[in-house]
Amino acid sequence: MKEGVNSPRLIFEEKKAIKLFLWLFYICFISYEVFWYFVLPNFTDYGGSQFPGNGLGFWFYFGVLCILPVSIFLYLKGNPYIIKYFVLASYVIFDVVDNLVKYLGSDRQFASGNIVELLFLFISPIFVNKKYFWTVTFCIVGKYLFLGIILNDPNVLSPIAIIVILLVLAYIFLTRFYSYINSLTLVHEELRHKEKLAVMGQMAMAIGHEIRNPISSLKGFLQLQQENHPNTNEYYPIMIQEIDRINNIVNDLMYIGKPRKIKFEKASIKEIIGYTVALTNQQAINQGIIIETEFKEAIPMIDCDESQLKQVLINLIKNAIEAMPDGGTIKIRAMIISSSELQITINDEGYGISNEALTNLGEPFYSTKKEGTGLGLMVTNQIIKEHRGEITFKSNLGIGTMVTIILPISSEKD
Ligand code: ADP
Ligand code: MG
């Protein structure tokens, strides 16, 4: 898996894999050599004639044995992630040198290989590491190609053929491991996200309840005060407006804990859009923004919760306005895209959303604005989801953003 993630759990897993690998490596290596030099010649014409063979002779075995103490040292002291590379590189180097000494300048036919090479390949998925898998592939296949070219001997082709078959198998295992681990991680992420929302929701509900009551009595008394002493204080409307703003934030917050129950009724999208544009138009005009609407054809009434869809459009239009401090045009289009679906797009010419920010959209409290709450899109997503619709964002930095909403026309399940 990911190297460099220094989680004790992952290091423990890597160490477990390394231990297994080293055991298998030496058991295979020694048994193969014993079999080749001491067992096989007793029964067949094959096998090594004389141990330790020519080439590096005993030095080869000494070298391979020395890999063990260095690995143990790295295991205990250093970075366990590099042991597998160290074993691979050392073995391949010893083996290449051994073969060069054995065959270079002699007219013997190339016949080499130890089962540990196949082990390197076949066992490589246990590290669940694609980089290691490709390094093994490169080293082992590279070794045979290199020897084949240097010794000018086509006999290297048969071990390469076997290796390629094993490579394919090992690669299948490896991708299966990866895909399984990815699914596990995704499920885990989803669960964590849900839990986070649940905890935040409970908090938001509790705090929201406590804030709502004092706020509404504050607003009530303020209105009373204004009625009793009209025209004496120009700050009343501002105070009431600000109280309403707090109320809206509290309402959005409480949405996390308990999404409002949705009431499906037939409503006209054209009217909903018209209403929300009228509501936000003043703010737009103040910023030099023109809001255009376009309805391609007659739009039928759709089953929806009108007040909630108004909320969605207000949130999206406000975001578009807030993204265009230098003015421009916002285009809102509605059209029928199939017999059962309606599409609404909101196009702005604002500063756009970076790819990284796109992945965070709709996370509660994610906001890049100084005065943003980061609740608007969360509520929006939730409402669209409850309508069994879809919302997507496409954006180009510096050019603008397009929000696309697809809603079913009828609330009846197919
Ligand atoms: P808020 O508006 O309070 O910041 P929202 O949930 O409405 O919270 O939006 C979250 C963030 O998404 C914004 O802070 C902004 O960075 C980004 N965003 C949303 N809509 C747009 C848009 N049309 N253009 C650029 N950025 C946007
Ligand atoms: Mg917003």
Side-chain angles (χ1 to χ4, degrees):
M1 285 260 60
K2 278 217 171 111
E3 293 188 1
V5 180
N6 275 330
S7 143
R9 192 72 239 171
L10 288 183
I11 292 178
F12 175 72
E13 280 301 321
E14 177 76 12
K15 285 186 165 178
K16 244 170 45 179
I18 273 292
K19 250 202 269 185
L20 178 65
F21 173 69
L22 282 175
W23 271 110
L24 285 174
F25 175 77
Y26 280 105
I27 289 174
C28 283
F29 180 73
I30 293 168
S31 18
Y32 182 83
E33 297 296 312
V34 168
F35 184 70
W36 181 254
Y37 282 106
F38 301 107
V39 180
L40 214 52
N42 292 334
F43 301 103
T44 64
D45 293 341
Y46 296 106
S49 48
Q50 199 194 354
F51 184 77
N54 31 28
L56 288 178
F58 275 115
W59 286 111
F60 175 67
Y61 296 97
F62 179 70
V64 173
L65 281 181
C66 279
I67 296 174
L68 185 61
V70 179
S71 302
I72 294 176
F73 175 77
L74 288 172
Y75 183 95
L76 295 175
K77 292 264 155 92
N79 176 353
Y81 290 111
I82 59 169
I83 301 176
K84 55 184 178 295
Y85 293 105
F86 167 73
V87 178
L88 173 71
S90 328
Y91 178 78
V92 170
I93 290 170
F94 288 141
D95 195 48
V96 167
V97 175
D98 185 52
N99 278 308
L100 287 180
V101 173
K102 209 180 284 180
Y103 294 106
L104 209 58
S106 90
D107 50 4
R108 292 170 56 202
Q109 288 240 313
F110 179 78
S112 160
N114 184 303
I115 205 152
V116 289
E117 284 166 6
L118 305 185
L119 181 83
F120 270 118
L121 288 174
F122 202 62
I123 214 81
S124 65
I126 66 168
F127 293 106
V128 201
N129 182 322
K130 281 195 175 152
K131 195 170 102 193
Y132 178 68
F133 174 81
W134 291 118
T135 314
V136 171
T137 305
F138 177 79
C139 286
I140 305 285
V141 176
K143 182 196 104 172
Y144 280 103
L145 286 179
F146 174 76
L147 286 175
I149 291 167
I150 293 279
L151 303 174
N152 196 14
D153 191 333
N155 277 335
V156 296
L157 289 177
S158 47
I160 289 182
I162 298 173
I163 283 166
V164 169
I165 294 170
L166 270 185
L167 268 177
V168 173
L169 284 180
Y171 190 72
I172 292 172
F173 285 135
L174 187 63
T175 45
R176 279 301 306 135
F177 286 169
Y178 259 86
S179 128
Y180 187 67
I181 289 168
N182 282 345
S183 315
L184 273 187
T185 318
L186 276 182
V187 170
H188 182 74
E189 279 287 308
E190 267 169 29
L191 266 181
R192 232 179 42 146
H193 186 75
K194 269 195 194 144
E195 270 167 20
K196 198 170 108 188
L197 274 187
V199 171
M200 277 200 305
Q202 280 163 2
M203 262 179 65
M205 284 301 275
I207 297 172
H209 265 300
E210 296 304 315
I211 292 181
R212 249 198 199 164
N213 295 338
I215 288 283
S216 55
S217 50
L218 206 58
K219 187 176 171 186
F221 285 125
L222 204 59
Q223 280 166 334
L224 204 65
Q225 189 89 338
Q226 191 183 16
E227 278 164 27
N228 291 343
H229 311 276
N231 298 327
T232 55
N233 196 335
E234 58 185 288
Y235 297 123
Y236 282 133
I238 302 178
M239 287 158 88
I240 291 175
Q241 208 181 314
E242 289 299 294
I243 286 179
D244 283 339
R245 209 157 75 97
I246 299 179
N247 243 334
N248 284 341
I249 296 176
V250 170
N251 282 342
D252 278 354
L253 256 179
M254 291 180 69
Y255 210 99
I256 310 180
K258 196 167 157 221
R260 266 150 277 176
K261 205 73 218 124
I262 165 167
K263 272 197 296 203
F264 280 110
E265 264 168 80
K266 286 255 179 276
S268 153
I269 277 294
K270 215 169 151 178
E271 273 173 29
I272 293 177
I273 293 178
Y275 173 85
T276 49
V277 170
L279 211 68
T280 46
N281 214 14
Q282 193 53 47
Q283 194 191 346
I285 290 168
N286 292 346
Q287 271 178 237
I289 296 169
I290 299 169
I291 305 182
E292 289 177 2
T293 53
E294 186 185 317
F295 304 97
K296 279 256 165 67
E297 59 274 288
I299 310 273
M301 306 276 266
I302 70 163
D303 284 334
C304 65
D305 188 317
E306 190 174 328
S307 68
Q308 297 214 9
L309 277 196
K310 280 180 181 164
Q311 177 77 52
V312 164
L313 281 155
I314 290 173
N315 288 347
L316 296 177
I317 297 174
K318 279 203 159 164
N319 279 347
I321 294 175
E322 283 157 8
M324 295 165 63
D326 303 324
T329 309
I330 297 173
K331 288 198 186 96
I332 305 175
R333 292 193 185 91
M335 65 183 93
I336 301 293
I337 50 166
S338 75
S339 59
S340 59
E341 282 172 325
L342 167 90
Q343 174 180 291
I344 305 169
T345 56
I346 299 164
N347 238 317
D348 69 51
E349 298 172 350
Y351 45 63
I353 309 172
S354 68
N355 279 341
E356 200 229 323
L358 269 177
T359 57
N360 289 318
L361 289 191
E363 284 281 325
F365 309 114
Y366 173 76
S367 175
T368 55
K369 298 169 195 166
K370 227 159 118 204
E371 301 223 326
T373 59
L375 292 171
L377 290 185
M378 183 215 68
V379 172
T380 300
N381 283 348
Q382 193 71 36
I383 294 176
I384 297 295
K385 203 166 119 198
E386 277 162 18
H387 278 79
R388 290 189 295 119
E390 257 174 53
I391 179 164
T392 46
F393 293 81
K394 255 199 216 144
S395 194
N396 276 322
L397 275 182
I399 294 177
T401 302
M402 176 154 106
V403 187
T404 307
I405 298 173
I406 294 177
L407 287 172
I409 292 175
S410 158
S411 66
E412 256 122 66
K413 296 202 171 100
D414 306 321

